[in-house]
Amino acid sequence: MLAVSFLPELADPAHALVVLSGAADGFAGPAAAVDAATGGALTRAAKAARFEGEAASVVELLAPAGLACGRVLLVGTGPADKLDALTAERIGGAITARLLTSGETQVNVDVAGVLSADLAAHLAHGAALRAWQFLPYRTTMKPRQKPSLADLAIIGAADAAATYARLEAIAGGVARTRTLVSEPPNVLYPESFVDKSLDLAGLGIELIVLDDAEMRRLGMGALLGVAQGSVRPARMLAMRWNGTGRDDVKPVVFVGKGVTFDTGGISLKPPAGMEDMKWDMGGAGAVTGAMHALAARKAKAHVIGVVGLVENMPDGNAQRPGDVVTTMNGQTVEVINTDAEGRLVLCDAIWWAQETFNPEIVVDLATLTGAIIVSLGHEHAGLFCNDDGLAGQLSAAGAAVGEKLWRMPIGDAYDKLIDSDIADMKNVGPRDGGSITAAQFIGRFIKPGVKWAHLDVAGTVWAAKPGAVHDKGATGYGVRLLDRFVADNFEG
Ligand code: BES
Ligand code: MN
Ligand code: ZN
């Protein structure tokens, strides 16, 4: 993780230097000082690069005469009235994206007189998020491909360190999620997911692990039906963080789909792109990372994360299309398509979570349907919710951190599409509205009076291209959203 420090003034002027401007010329503050020291080179470079001060746009000045550093970046802030926390994070992301493999090891970002402490902390947060990469299996990288940037110093921001400490805790959760999502499926499977999460106890999180025998005893026939085609035994992991100092506060429960690899089972997926199904545990990854973030920043809330962990494989013991399984709450499900396995995992995980923890709110996250990608692409995750207030809280949290949600409909007319002739329900409806009928299935396992939201994150946990605060690959989607949802609504 990028090491961030906050200094009153420049300690080592030999490091790469970043200055900011919202305008094309007529620089102020540190940018004006650089311009003066370089005999106007910054103004000339900005002009040559058609710099307009647009947020997160970058002009690079190499080997500037008159300065001790090897390079200066002039980075746009956009207009002052639009310079909010998210914009500051994008600016930080642009800085690390440019310098990560530049050969520079340290950078000074001089924000004196330009950014508030809060915005400076968010700039550093964006820089740290964007610097994360997953390289443990790259053994032959050439030195000039390897990330060089290790330290970022914010210069001239008053008292940003406290704000940043909180954001750094959240970034730690994001990094945990991205690592889980990135690990290959021969390394990450239900048991190893649990093993890799045991260190959460060090943050003060209480861990509860159910093995397959215990889940069989509890009657989780739907979850175990998915797992039965794999040699990897299923696991359930619950993570409890109670930062309220009281034991009478009903918890918020987050539940994650943790299919560590989804072949489709007997309803086998086509080969092209099947490797992507290593990230079919992205919901579980987000829930685990969110628990990390909440505990690391000692959130004053009672939150429980539950992840249902299975591998969906086809073998001689795999469940068949046509099988009828019985869920933990006694409902029967006709398994029409073994590739609609996420809902089978979630229904037992969610029922167990409600029975065990008696929550007033359940939010589940799942890479549940390809159909949500057809609907929303990769910009928004789908939000399905039985309570307008909860939907508003989640949408607001997502908007605040740049992990956007788009509300989708649910209702009786959709619900009856999953009625079965032989059992209480079937695990797929018609092709049309596939994300909605998936949500309806989960909704049949929510107890009366429980506020529930389902986030279909199939389009957002993995990115084919780099974004403002992530590289290509695992995005960590959901961690900052859930953290913010807790911060804004349960820590009052
Ligand atoms: N994990 C997939 C959903 C998915 C597909 C996520 C593509 C990301 C990219 C899920 O288990 C699945 O296979 N869903 C099926 C449901 C269908 C059989 C009703 C789907 O979306 O095709
Ligand atoms: Mn599937
Ligand atoms: Zn799946």
Side-chain angles (χ1 to χ4, degrees), residues 257 262 280 339 341 367:
K257 168 179 171 180
D262 181 12
D280 208 16
D339 196 13
E341 84 298 340
T367 51

Side-chain angles (χ1 to χ4, degrees), residues 142 152 176 234 268 273 305 421 457 474:
K142 297 188 180 66
L152 178 142
R176 176 181 292 269
L268 193 62
D421 291 334
V457 295

Side-chain angles (χ1 to χ4, degrees), residues 216 220-230 234 310-313 317-320 323 325-326 335 338 341 344-345 348:
R216 173 135 342 262
M220 298 189 186
L223 183 150
L224 291 170
V226 176
Q228 77 188 30
S230 172
V310 304
E311 187 180 54
N312 188 20
M313 297 288 273
N317 191 48
Q319 73 178 343
R320 294 147 290 259
D323 281 5
V325 296
T326 303
V335 179
T338 65
E341 84 298 340
L344 298 171
V345 174
D348 279 335

Side-chain angles (χ1 to χ4, degrees), residues 22-40:
D25 48 26
F27 300 134
V34 165
D35 204 32
T38 58

Side-chain angles (χ1 to χ4, degrees), residues 9 32 38 99 103 106 189 206 248 252-253 257 274 299 301 352 364 373 379 443 463:
E9 44 203 62
T38 58
L99 295 179
Q106 295 171 300
Y189 45 91
E206 179 196 339
D248 59 347
V252 175
V253 166
K257 168 179 171 180
M274 201 201 278
W352 178 75
D364 78 77
I373 309 178
E379 284 303 312

Side-chain angles (χ1 to χ4, degrees), residues 174 177-178 282-283 285-287 365 378-382 398 402-406 455-457 460-462 474-481:
V174 172
T177 299
R178 288 175 178 175
V287 167
L365 285 83
H378 304 281
E379 284 303 312
H380 293 81
E403 296 184 341
K404 290 174 289 187
L405 293 171
W406 194 263
L455 278 49
D456 194 334
V457 295
T460 53
V461 304
W462 189 264
T475 62
Y477 183 97
V479 174
R480 292 187 299 149
L481 189 164

